[in-house]
Amino acid sequence: MNALTRTATRPRHFVDLADLDTETLEGLIGEARRRKAARQGQPHGAADSDKPLEGRVLALIFDKHSTRTRISFDIAMRQLGGTTLMMSGAEMQLAREETIADTARVLSRYLDAVMIRLLDHEMVRELADNADIPVINGLTKMSHPCQVMADVMTFEERKGPIRGRTVAWTGDANNVLASWIHAAARFGFRLRVATPRELAPREGLHDWAMGAGAAVEFGDDPERAVAGADCVVTDAWVSMGDEDAVKRHNLLRAYQVNERLMSRAAKDAIFMHCLPAHRGEEVTNEIIDGPQSAVFDEAENRLHAQKAILAWCLA
Ligand code: CP
Ligand code: NVA
């Protein structure tokens, strides 16, 4: 395909769940489940039987640390028959002030898709706006859409359709919460959010939830948020790029998921965390290692959900 035919139709980016409609997102979850089921018992290195991305190259660009995103995207691409190229932002000319728009135009001449982890969300948007190939958000300061696709898939595996169910968030308002808020609107579940007032979601996100008709309740009381919920979610108290660690720890101590808080949720509620976890801080060992925890299924489902996303972006 040359540059002219590529620009004739805009690529399918995956930057935010808010950009996509319910039908598309539900279709992706269905495809992820189908692919997961179809390769049960296969070694991780074996390709899927259809190899839809044979001959395609995905660049994985990381400006920040990663274990799950990096490995799951690489293996996802291999299982779909494609290949990857791994780079850190620091070793690219981006770090020496080449513009993101020029970078996008150049990458579009070599690659079939880009997955990028960059804290600056607007830079990822700018990359997508200027690229002729799909751009996938692998986490910014504003959102983590691939994670929450895996989380919705995990919820549904354990508890059936998420539509109409109740998810509780306890912690600060970070990137993962923003994608949960987008997901609540698109997948039609209730989300009860408890954050300290000083670490509450920014107004824009609040307004987006209201405008989208999402069933999201914002508050600062973790016990109230968790009461009767089908799922309790938390995340690290200090995200990548956060600076005020001591203050955050002090503000968030009361938001820890422990046996006392978890006992307020529905009896068969599950516990989710995107990982990496800080045991003894946002969650106790009893909960993360206990029977209600779904954290390692979430990590596995990153692989399956991202295969559906890659296949959709490159269809
Ligand atoms: N959950 C998640 O994105 O993990 P990594 O930072 O290890 O990629
Ligand atoms: N909120 C965390 C998620 C890590 C996967 C962070 O941004 O560091």
Side-chain angles (χ1 to χ4, degrees):
M1 211 187 285
N2 63 34
L4 278 180
T5 52
R6 268 194 169 134
T7 46
T9 51
R10 291 307 298 156
R12 285 179 164 178
H13 301 302
F14 195 84
V15 175
D16 270 317
L17 300 185
D19 300 339
L20 302 168
D21 60 27
T22 298
E23 194 186 347
T24 303
L25 293 172
E26 287 182 348
L28 289 173
I29 299 287
E31 175 66 1
R33 288 178 71 120
R34 191 187 67 71
R35 285 200 176 272
K36 181 176 182 177
R39 57 175 298 118
Q40 285 303 318
Q42 291 262 62
H44 300 302
D48 285 9
S49 51
D50 56 344
K51 294 194 229 162
L53 300 190
E54 202 153 29
R56 306 291 192 102
V57 189
L58 170 74
L60 298 167
I61 303 175
F62 286 92
D63 210 36
K64 287 285 161 194
H65 297 87
S66 171
T67 298
R68 281 144 287 270
T69 305
R70 178 181 177 135
I71 299 172
S72 59
F73 263 107
D74 193 354
I75 300 300
M77 202 58 191
R78 294 182 202 206
Q79 291 183 357
L80 293 171
T83 54
T84 57
L85 201 67
M86 193 86 69
M87 285 169 291
S88 78
E91 66 200 347
M92 295 173 68
Q93 296 287 10
L94 259 180
R96 294 184 60 251
E97 291 168 17
E98 183 164 21
T99 69
I100 196 87
D102 285 348
T103 303
R105 294 175 190 120
V106 171
L107 295 181
S108 302
R109 301 296 178 103
Y110 303 132
L111 299 160
D112 296 294
V114 177
M115 193 292 315
I116 188 161
R117 171 168 287 190
L118 200 63
L119 291 187
D120 188 331
H121 194 80
E122 287 318 308
M123 274 178 84
V124 174
R125 284 250 171 244
E126 206 180 329
L127 184 74
D129 288 346
N130 288 281
D132 295 326
I133 55 175
V135 171
I136 300 172
N137 172 3
L139 180 149
T140 68
K141 202 68 194 137
M142 303 268 274
S143 63
H144 198 2
C146 295
Q147 178 66 51
V148 174
M149 288 298 280
D151 295 347
V152 169
M153 177 180 178
T154 305
F155 180 100
E156 295 198 328
E157 279 178 347
R158 296 255 180 154
K159 307 199 58 67
I162 198 167
R163 182 165 296 279
R165 309 296 287 279
T166 302
V167 175
W169 174 276
T170 170
D172 73 324
N174 66 13
N175 42 12
V176 178
L177 173 62
S179 290
W180 271 105
I181 290 172
H182 295 157
R186 296 296 182 257
F187 290 97
F189 58 88
R190 268 185 302 279
L191 181 63
R192 292 206 215 108
V193 177
T195 63
R197 286 195 188 152
E198 280 188 62
L199 301 175
R202 61 197 159 77
E203 218 165 279
L205 189 57
H206 197 275
D207 293 347
W208 184 90
M210 299 304 126
V216 185
E217 292 169 34
F218 297 95
D220 62 359
D221 181 347
E223 296 200 358
R224 197 171 158 168
V226 161
D230 298 299
C231 173
V232 177
V233 193
T234 193
D235 190 6
W237 288 345
V238 182
S239 282
M240 292 181 275
D242 285 341
E243 279 166 1
D244 41 1
V246 173
K247 186 175 167 199
R248 287 174 161 275
H249 277 245
N250 289 332
L251 287 169
L252 286 160
R253 202 153 288 136
Y255 293 77
Q256 182 189 66
V257 183
N258 49 36
E259 280 178 331
R260 190 186 48 75
L261 187 63
M262 201 67 198
S263 72
R264 305 257 170 178
K267 245 191 162 46
D268 59 351
I270 57 170
F271 169 72
M272 295 221 263
H273 188 311
C274 66
L275 304 179
H278 300 76
R279 290 162 174 262
E281 294 182 13
E282 72 271 10
V283 61
T284 59
N285 283 334
E286 295 76 51
I287 296 299
I288 197 168
D289 295 328
Q292 289 168 291
S293 176
V295 301
F296 298 109
D297 288 350
E298 288 176 81
E300 176 184 339
N301 285 337
R302 291 293 302 276
L303 170 66
H304 307 296
Q306 287 157 196
K307 284 168 71 177
I309 293 165
L310 285 165
W312 175 80
C313 285
L314 287 163

